[in-house]
mmCIF file of all heavy atoms in Angstrom:
data_model
loop_
_atom_site.group_PDB
_atom_site.id
_atom_site.type_symbol
_atom_site.label_atom_id
_atom_site.label_comp_id
_atom_site.label_asym_id
_atom_site.label_seq_id
_atom_site.Cartn_x
_atom_site.Cartn_y
_atom_site.Cartn_z
ATOM 1 N N GLN V 22 69.370 132.872 -19.331
ATOM 2 C CA GLN V 22 68.726 134.173 -19.516
ATOM 3 C C GLN V 22 67.735 134.497 -18.472
ATOM 4 O O GLN V 22 67.562 135.543 -17.971
ATOM 5 C CB GLN V 22 68.074 134.233 -20.897
ATOM 6 C CG GLN V 22 69.047 134.170 -22.012
ATOM 7 C CD GLN V 22 68.431 134.447 -23.394
ATOM 8 O OE1 GLN V 22 67.953 135.532 -23.602
ATOM 9 N NE2 GLN V 22 68.390 133.486 -24.190
ATOM 10 N N ASN V 39 64.607 151.057 -2.107
ATOM 11 C CA ASN V 39 65.471 151.883 -1.313
ATOM 12 C C ASN V 39 65.228 153.353 -1.643
ATOM 13 O O ASN V 39 65.198 154.145 -0.774
ATOM 14 C CB ASN V 39 66.957 151.575 -1.719
ATOM 15 C CG ASN V 39 67.447 150.330 -1.060
ATOM 16 O OD1 ASN V 39 66.878 149.843 -0.154
ATOM 17 N ND2 ASN V 39 68.564 149.759 -1.555
ATOM 18 N N ASN V 43 64.142 156.120 0.957
ATOM 19 C CA ASN V 43 65.062 157.326 1.167
ATOM 20 C C ASN V 43 64.259 158.578 0.960
ATOM 21 O O ASN V 43 64.472 159.552 1.704
ATOM 22 C CB ASN V 43 66.245 157.234 0.338
ATOM 23 C CG ASN V 43 67.272 156.381 0.921
ATOM 24 O OD1 ASN V 43 67.595 156.387 2.107
ATOM 25 N ND2 ASN V 43 67.874 155.509 0.067
ATOM 26 N N ASN V 113 105.239 168.272 -46.516
ATOM 27 C CA ASN V 113 106.576 167.776 -46.645
ATOM 28 C C ASN V 113 107.631 168.727 -46.002
ATOM 29 O O ASN V 113 108.841 168.573 -46.082
ATOM 30 C CB ASN V 113 107.014 167.347 -48.023
ATOM 31 C CG ASN V 113 106.731 168.419 -49.010
ATOM 32 O OD1 ASN V 113 106.281 169.583 -48.639
ATOM 33 N ND2 ASN V 113 106.799 168.140 -50.255
ATOM 34 N N ASN V 114 107.035 169.853 -45.443
ATOM 35 C CA ASN V 114 107.835 170.784 -44.779
ATOM 36 C C ASN V 114 108.071 170.303 -43.264
ATOM 37 O O ASN V 114 107.159 170.243 -42.465
ATOM 38 C CB ASN V 114 107.152 172.162 -44.714
ATOM 39 C CG ASN V 114 108.025 173.264 -44.202
ATOM 40 O OD1 ASN V 114 108.682 173.034 -43.193
ATOM 41 N ND2 ASN V 114 107.987 174.449 -44.844
ATOM 42 N N TRP V 115 109.323 169.986 -43.015
ATOM 43 C CA TRP V 115 109.680 169.265 -41.794
ATOM 44 C C TRP V 115 109.302 170.136 -40.560
ATOM 45 O O TRP V 115 108.623 169.751 -39.620
ATOM 46 C CB TRP V 115 111.211 169.052 -41.751
ATOM 47 C CG TRP V 115 111.676 168.397 -40.487
ATOM 48 C CD1 TRP V 115 111.740 167.077 -40.297
ATOM 49 C CD2 TRP V 115 112.169 168.984 -39.337
ATOM 50 N NE1 TRP V 115 112.259 166.765 -39.078
ATOM 51 C CE2 TRP V 115 112.557 167.961 -38.426
ATOM 52 C CE3 TRP V 115 112.423 170.306 -38.932
ATOM 53 C CZ2 TRP V 115 113.041 168.142 -37.125
ATOM 54 C CZ3 TRP V 115 113.033 170.521 -37.686
ATOM 55 C CH2 TRP V 115 113.266 169.516 -36.792
ATOM 56 N N GLU V 126 100.097 167.020 -29.817
ATOM 57 C CA GLU V 126 100.498 166.206 -28.665
ATOM 58 C C GLU V 126 100.241 167.004 -27.363
ATOM 59 O O GLU V 126 99.771 166.455 -26.362
ATOM 60 C CB GLU V 126 102.039 165.805 -28.684
ATOM 61 C CG GLU V 126 102.297 164.851 -29.843
ATOM 62 C CD GLU V 126 101.695 163.514 -29.650
ATOM 63 O OE1 GLU V 126 100.988 163.264 -28.678
ATOM 64 O OE2 GLU V 126 101.731 162.637 -30.587
ATOM 65 N N ARG V 129 96.411 167.103 -26.792
ATOM 66 C CA ARG V 129 95.783 165.861 -26.502
ATOM 67 C C ARG V 129 96.140 165.231 -25.174
ATOM 68 O O ARG V 129 95.333 164.307 -24.628
ATOM 69 C CB ARG V 129 96.156 164.828 -27.595
ATOM 70 C CG ARG V 129 95.363 165.006 -28.862
ATOM 71 C CD ARG V 129 95.351 163.769 -29.676
ATOM 72 N NE ARG V 129 96.705 163.092 -29.738
ATOM 73 C CZ ARG V 129 96.814 161.877 -30.166
ATOM 74 N NH1 ARG V 129 95.852 161.171 -30.652
ATOM 75 N NH2 ARG V 129 97.977 161.311 -30.182
ATOM 76 N N ILE V 138 89.823 175.597 -17.769
ATOM 77 C CA ILE V 138 90.082 176.482 -16.605
ATOM 78 C C ILE V 138 91.227 177.399 -16.878
ATOM 79 O O ILE V 138 91.192 178.579 -16.523
ATOM 80 C CB ILE V 138 90.288 175.630 -15.325
ATOM 81 C CG1 ILE V 138 89.084 174.921 -14.951
ATOM 82 C CG2 ILE V 138 90.732 176.527 -14.205
ATOM 83 C CD1 ILE V 138 89.257 174.002 -13.750
ATOM 84 N N TYR V 267 91.074 171.408 -28.421
ATOM 85 C CA TYR V 267 91.202 170.027 -27.976
ATOM 86 C C TYR V 267 90.661 169.090 -29.028
ATOM 87 O O TYR V 267 91.378 168.180 -29.478
ATOM 88 C CB TYR V 267 90.465 169.913 -26.672
ATOM 89 C CG TYR V 267 90.590 168.547 -25.983
ATOM 90 C CD1 TYR V 267 91.717 168.174 -25.282
ATOM 91 C CD2 TYR V 267 89.511 167.633 -26.009
ATOM 92 C CE1 TYR V 267 91.812 166.860 -24.648
ATOM 93 C CE2 TYR V 267 89.574 166.510 -25.361
ATOM 94 C CZ TYR V 267 90.706 166.077 -24.636
ATOM 95 O OH TYR V 267 90.804 164.930 -24.037
ATOM 96 N N LYS V 327 79.386 166.233 -25.556
ATOM 97 C CA LYS V 327 79.375 165.761 -24.196
ATOM 98 C C LYS V 327 80.370 166.554 -23.345
ATOM 99 O O LYS V 327 80.138 166.817 -22.170
ATOM 100 C CB LYS V 327 79.725 164.244 -24.159
ATOM 101 C CG LYS V 327 78.568 163.407 -24.598
ATOM 102 C CD LYS V 327 78.735 161.926 -24.374
ATOM 103 C CE LYS V 327 79.828 161.378 -25.312
ATOM 104 N NZ LYS V 327 80.184 160.009 -25.043
ATOM 105 N N ASN P 28 113.598 169.525 -47.232
ATOM 106 C CA ASN P 28 112.468 169.540 -46.181
ATOM 107 C C ASN P 28 111.980 170.913 -45.764
ATOM 108 O O ASN P 28 110.918 170.969 -45.082
ATOM 109 C CB ASN P 28 112.988 168.858 -44.917
ATOM 110 C CG ASN P 28 113.212 167.362 -45.169
ATOM 111 O OD1 ASN P 28 112.250 166.690 -45.487
ATOM 112 N ND2 ASN P 28 114.491 166.913 -45.019
ATOM 113 N N ASN P 35 106.446 176.459 -49.673
ATOM 114 C CA ASN P 35 107.182 175.828 -48.514
ATOM 115 C C ASN P 35 108.041 176.790 -47.856
ATOM 116 O O ASN P 35 108.179 176.851 -46.616
ATOM 117 C CB ASN P 35 107.894 174.561 -48.973
ATOM 118 C CG ASN P 35 107.221 173.343 -48.477
ATOM 119 O OD1 ASN P 35 106.435 173.401 -47.510
ATOM 120 N ND2 ASN P 35 107.590 172.201 -49.156
ATOM 121 N N THR P 39 108.026 177.952 -44.013
ATOM 122 C CA THR P 39 109.162 177.759 -43.079
ATOM 123 C C THR P 39 109.463 179.076 -42.451
ATOM 124 O O THR P 39 109.683 179.146 -41.270
ATOM 125 C CB THR P 39 110.372 177.242 -43.926
ATOM 126 O OG1 THR P 39 109.954 176.089 -44.616
ATOM 127 C CG2 THR P 39 111.533 177.011 -43.064
ATOM 128 N N LEU P 189 68.677 138.071 -24.659
ATOM 129 C CA LEU P 189 68.447 138.982 -23.455
ATOM 130 C C LEU P 189 69.850 139.464 -22.946
ATOM 131 O O LEU P 189 69.916 140.701 -22.732
ATOM 132 C CB LEU P 189 67.919 138.174 -22.345
ATOM 133 C CG LEU P 189 67.672 138.884 -21.095
ATOM 134 C CD1 LEU P 189 66.476 139.841 -21.253
ATOM 135 C CD2 LEU P 189 67.411 138.044 -19.942
ATOM 136 N N ARG P 202 77.971 155.226 -22.665
ATOM 137 C CA ARG P 202 78.751 155.945 -23.597
ATOM 138 C C ARG P 202 78.065 157.163 -24.143
ATOM 139 O O ARG P 202 78.729 158.128 -24.628
ATOM 140 C CB ARG P 202 79.181 155.061 -24.761
ATOM 141 C CG ARG P 202 80.457 154.276 -24.463
ATOM 142 C CD ARG P 202 80.602 153.038 -25.381
ATOM 143 N NE ARG P 202 80.164 153.354 -26.739
ATOM 144 C CZ ARG P 202 80.981 153.687 -27.815
ATOM 145 N NH1 ARG P 202 82.234 153.753 -27.553
ATOM 146 N NH2 ARG P 202 80.477 153.865 -28.918
ATOM 147 N N ILE P 219 70.893 157.637 -2.562
ATOM 148 C CA ILE P 219 69.478 157.397 -2.544
ATOM 149 C C ILE P 219 69.235 155.941 -2.886
ATOM 150 O O ILE P 219 68.242 155.402 -2.378
ATOM 151 C CB ILE P 219 68.746 158.348 -3.534
ATOM 152 C CG1 ILE P 219 69.014 159.770 -3.211
ATOM 153 C CG2 ILE P 219 67.273 158.105 -3.602
ATOM 154 C CD1 ILE P 219 68.360 160.734 -4.071
ATOM 155 N N PHE P 220 70.047 155.356 -3.733
ATOM 156 C CA PHE P 220 69.749 153.930 -4.168
ATOM 157 C C PHE P 220 70.098 152.960 -3.138
ATOM 158 O O PHE P 220 69.634 151.814 -3.072
ATOM 159 C CB PHE P 220 70.617 153.611 -5.413
ATOM 160 C CG PHE P 220 70.142 154.329 -6.634
ATOM 161 C CD1 PHE P 220 70.981 154.527 -7.714
ATOM 162 C CD2 PHE P 220 68.865 154.798 -6.754
ATOM 163 C CE1 PHE P 220 70.548 155.218 -8.829
ATOM 164 C CE2 PHE P 220 68.378 155.448 -7.862
ATOM 165 C CZ PHE P 220 69.229 155.649 -8.892
ATOM 166 N N LEU P 221 71.013 153.330 -2.173
ATOM 167 C CA LEU P 221 71.459 152.419 -1.117
ATOM 168 C C LEU P 221 70.419 152.332 -0.035
ATOM 169 O O LEU P 221 69.625 153.247 0.071
ATOM 170 C CB LEU P 221 72.795 152.816 -0.578
ATOM 171 C CG LEU P 221 74.045 152.797 -1.444
ATOM 172 C CD1 LEU P 221 75.204 153.460 -0.797
ATOM 173 C CD2 LEU P 221 74.325 151.397 -1.743
ATOM 174 N N LYS P 300 92.940 161.354 -17.745
ATOM 175 C CA LYS P 300 92.690 162.815 -17.947
ATOM 176 C C LYS P 300 91.379 163.171 -17.302
ATOM 177 O O LYS P 300 91.188 164.222 -16.641
ATOM 178 C CB LYS P 300 92.655 163.209 -19.354
ATOM 179 C CG LYS P 300 94.120 163.191 -19.977
ATOM 180 C CD LYS P 300 94.033 163.762 -21.406
ATOM 181 C CE LYS P 300 93.312 162.754 -22.296
ATOM 182 N NZ LYS P 300 93.194 163.368 -23.603
ATOM 183 N N ARG P 350 103.039 157.170 -26.163
ATOM 184 C CA ARG P 350 104.154 156.628 -26.963
ATOM 185 C C ARG P 350 104.278 155.080 -26.757
ATOM 186 O O ARG P 350 104.562 154.338 -27.724
ATOM 187 C CB ARG P 350 105.495 157.295 -26.511
ATOM 188 C CG ARG P 350 105.646 158.685 -26.928
ATOM 189 C CD ARG P 350 105.811 158.713 -28.391
ATOM 190 N NE ARG P 350 104.888 159.665 -28.990
ATOM 191 C CZ ARG P 350 105.147 160.333 -30.107
ATOM 192 N NH1 ARG P 350 106.257 160.228 -30.735
ATOM 193 N NH2 ARG P 350 104.241 161.195 -30.525
#
Side-chain angles (χ1 to χ4, degrees):
Chain V
Q22 295 190 64
N39 283 343
N43 279 317
N113 50 10
N114 188 318
W115 181 86
E126 292 297 352
R129 281 204 318 169
I138 294 179
Y267 184 78
K327 285 190 286 174
Chain P
N28 293 300
N35 251 341
T39 306
L189 181 75
R202 275 161 37 99
I219 300 184
F220 290 156
L221 290 172
K300 286 187 293 174
R350 287 289 131 150

